[in-house]
Amino acid sequence: MSDIAEEAGVSKRTLYELFENKESLLVTILKTEYSNIKACLDELDIETNTALDIILLFNQKIQGKLVCDAFYKDILRYPGALAMQTVYKKAMLCKMISLVKRGVNEGVFLPEINYDMIALMMREFAKMSPPSEAFKMYTNEEVHNTFFLLFIRGICTDNGRKIFKRYVTEGYYDLLLPRLVNRIETIQENI
């Protein structure tokens, strides 16, 4: 709480006047973030956007806003906040699955995929926050975006891949792609 107060530019006492304890602070952060995420998804869900557009735009909007490692470590010590995070993750997963099913109906996602298995994979991927030690040489953002982009492209139809390509080539992922290219070049040099 001392570090948080210092970073916020307030006294520790002021922080405790606003939040009963650290768990109440974490719960407030979770509620605010989930509310912002829901509002963002609602804003993107307009007639002109396919489900794929919504998913790609949403991912682009949250880039750089992924929670830091310290948050993940802290939340494990607070059962109320952890339970709330689990509920929010489940709600987000349901929203993403409904968007994927919508994308199948719109012809941007492949219909022959076992989407029950995809839901299970997405649920397990969500548990990787923060990523395991195997990915420690990469930022959380790089891990998230690499898995995300590969996953989304993999379930796209030809029409979906055209939409996907537009987003990637028009610079929506400019921050990610140069790092990936550098990593690939480094790996190739070491082989």
Side-chain angles (χ1 to χ4, degrees):
M1 290 295 269
S2 298
D3 293 341
I4 293 168
E6 185 179 322
E7 185 71 26
V10 299
S11 71
K12 194 172 171 181
R13 181 175 181 206
T14 301
L15 194 58
Y16 275 110
E17 286 175 9
L18 297 170
F19 303 99
E20 178 183 330
N21 53 36
K22 192 166 184 180
E23 185 166 32
S24 67
L25 174 63
L26 291 171
V27 165
T28 300
I29 290 168
L30 286 168
K31 284 179 182 176
T32 302
E33 284 305 304
Y34 182 71
S35 181
N36 291 341
I37 286 170
K38 189 169 176 343
C40 176
L41 282 167
D42 290 344
E43 176 187 318
L44 294 171
D45 196 0
I46 59 174
E47 285 182 28
T48 56
N49 285 337
T50 66
L52 178 57
D53 291 302
I54 293 168
I55 291 169
L56 290 169
L57 285 168
F58 176 72
N59 189 66
Q60 188 265 332
K61 281 188 170 215
I62 66 164
Q63 277 195 38
K65 296 180 183 175
L66 297 175
V67 181
C68 67
D69 289 341
F71 176 84
Y72 292 113
K73 290 176 185 168
D74 277 351
I75 202 167
L76 294 174
R77 298 188 329 224
Y78 299 97
L82 189 59
M84 179 175 280
Q85 183 190 40
T86 301
V87 168
Y88 288 157
K89 277 185 175 183
K90 187 180 273 188
M92 283 304 302
L93 178 63
C94 288
K95 177 63 176 175
M96 289 299 133
I97 293 301
S98 72
L99 282 169
V100 169
K101 288 179 180 178
R102 174 176 153 185
V104 169
N105 292 334
E106 294 169 340
V108 295
F109 294 134
L110 297 167
E112 63 272 5
I113 301 238
N114 181 341
Y115 286 102
D116 291 333
M117 187 182 301
I118 295 296
L120 181 60
M121 288 169 59
M122 289 170 73
R123 200 171 15 255
E124 290 304 307
F125 180 67
K127 290 179 186 177
M128 277 184 50
S129 295
S132 74
E133 279 294 306
F135 298 100
K136 67 183 174 190
M137 72 281 289
Y138 306 107
T139 66
N140 287 349
E141 186 179 356
E142 286 175 298
V143 173
H144 167 82
N145 281 312
T146 301
F147 278 97
F148 172 79
L149 292 173
L150 287 171
F151 165 74
I152 292 298
R153 188 180 184 288
I155 65 171
C156 284
T157 60
D158 289 340
N159 187 34
R161 280 193 292 279
K162 288 176 190 171
I163 294 169
F164 180 89
K165 184 177 180 183
R166 187 180 76 232
Y167 279 92
V168 173
T169 58
E170 287 182 3
Y172 287 100
Y173 294 96
D174 280 351
L175 296 174
L176 173 70
L177 293 176
R179 286 184 278 181
L180 289 177
V181 169
N182 289 340
R183 297 260 193 230
I184 291 167
E185 288 171 356
T186 303
I187 291 168
Q188 287 174 339
E189 288 171 8
N190 293 324
I191 294 180

